[in-house]
Amino acid sequence: MKNYKNVFIFDHPLIKHKIAILRDKKTGMKEFRELVEEITTVMTYESMRDVELVPVRVETPLETTTQYKVPEESVAIVPILRAGLGMVNGVHKVFPTARVGHIGMYRDEQTMLPQEYYCKLPDGIEKKTVFLVDPMLATGGSMCDALDALVKRGCKKIKIMSIIAAPEGIAKVAERYPDIPVYVSTLDRGLNENCYILPGLGDAGDRLFGTK
Ligand code: PRP
Ligand code: URA
């Protein structure tokens, strides 16, 4: 895969460990959901290394000091339905007051092209740092369409987080939106004839919600 300046692939051994369990077809729904949440929390910390802090005065039991905090209300989370929902709590662990927007997409099973069926975003989202989350970045079609929707709404600071990505999906997003950072926990080999990621973990939505 080409080297893209804004694509960050985490290579942390503990994330690798968690993803090995996530991939295993014997891992049940509850553990799967918990792992997605946990990995997302770690990714959120890592992807916010560049966050701008504001000075605040804090009274410790001993004295008053200037400390630094993330401004309240500066973050929003937008999951791509359905599977992106599994990542929301993971970001909320770090930013409990983050507003949540929803973009509904499904891939047409014949054409593999994304179809948008829902979009509801919080007021003022264009001023926030938006975490656009979906555990699977396969062809990149759903992510690009979701990005189009956010950019059309005036969002300027977007961070993409996906747990597993295929090189095809990364290339599509990075070439269409070279300035938007893409954070990925692991890069897989490629796609099968049905555009599923290999080795992947199967259908993330079905595994999170027990629909199959
Ligand atoms: C999955 C996944 C992504 C999309 C990725 O959703 O959660 O949204 O596929 O594929 P792409 O990169 O090729 O667009 P799916 O369409 O299966 O819907 P679901 O989450 O409702 O199961
Ligand atoms: N969506 C999934 O849930 N899994 C894949 O491998 C590809 C798209």
Side-chain angles (χ1 to χ4, degrees):
M1 196 184 71
K2 248 168 78 180
N3 227 350
Y4 296 102
K5 69 176 171 45
N6 280 317
V7 174
F8 305 96
I9 297 163
F10 299 135
D11 217 8
H12 196 289
L14 291 179
I15 290 194
K16 279 200 166 96
H17 170 86
K18 302 279 179 196
I19 289 177
I21 307 169
L22 201 63
R23 291 185 193 280
D24 191 330
K25 65 180 185 188
K26 295 194 292 301
T27 299
M29 185 175 66
K30 175 174 181 285
E31 194 180 3
F32 189 91
R33 198 169 52 228
E34 288 165 355
L35 284 164
V36 166
E37 189 175 318
E38 201 178 329
I39 293 166
T40 305
T41 300
V42 177
M43 293 181 78
T44 306
Y45 278 101
E46 277 301 314
S47 65
M48 286 300 264
R49 283 184 181 274
D50 62 346
V51 68
E52 276 175 36
L53 302 175
V54 292
V56 289
R57 296 294 286 166
V58 173
E59 275 181 47
T60 77
L62 300 176
E63 62 177 19
T64 303
T65 166
T66 300
Q67 296 294 308
Y68 297 88
K69 279 189 167 176
V70 178
E72 287 272 328
E73 300 283 314
S74 66
V75 169
I77 312 165
V78 176
I80 301 179
L81 307 181
R82 290 175 300 165
L85 285 174
M87 298 176 75
V88 173
N89 285 348
V91 184
H92 264 155
K93 285 249 161 72
V94 187
F95 297 109
T97 60
R99 304 287 171 97
V100 182
H102 297 87
I103 297 182
M105 300 265 179
Y106 70 90
R107 295 196 311 178
D108 181 292
E109 285 184 6
Q110 308 304 319
T111 63
M112 291 301 153
L113 293 173
Q115 312 290 322
E116 185 181 313
Y117 61 88
Y118 187 75
C119 184
K120 179 89 180 164
L121 301 171
D123 287 346
I125 193 168
E126 64 284 352
K127 296 189 211 87
K128 297 179 190 286
T129 296
V130 180
F131 282 101
L132 178 58
V133 297
D134 191 324
M136 310 304 279
L137 181 57
T139 64
S142 306
M143 193 59 85
C144 280
D145 282 11
L147 281 170
D148 292 347
L150 293 178
V151 169
K152 203 165 75 191
R153 274 285 292 262
C155 297
K156 285 173 200 66
K157 197 146 188 231
I158 304 170
K159 287 172 184 278
I160 292 170
M161 285 203 294
S162 283
I163 295 179
I164 299 187
E168 294 87 335
I170 290 190
K172 183 160 182 158
V173 172
E175 277 163 30
R176 179 127 146 217
Y177 287 104
D179 295 327
I180 293 185
V182 182
Y183 299 91
V184 161
S185 275
T186 190
L187 177 67
D188 272 12
R189 189 169 80 241
L191 300 173
N192 72 7
E193 63 284 4
N194 297 317
C195 293
Y196 272 81
I197 300 176
L198 294 173
L201 48 71
D203 188 300
D206 286 339
R207 295 197 63 184
L208 276 165
F209 301 113
T211 34
K212 278 209 180 118

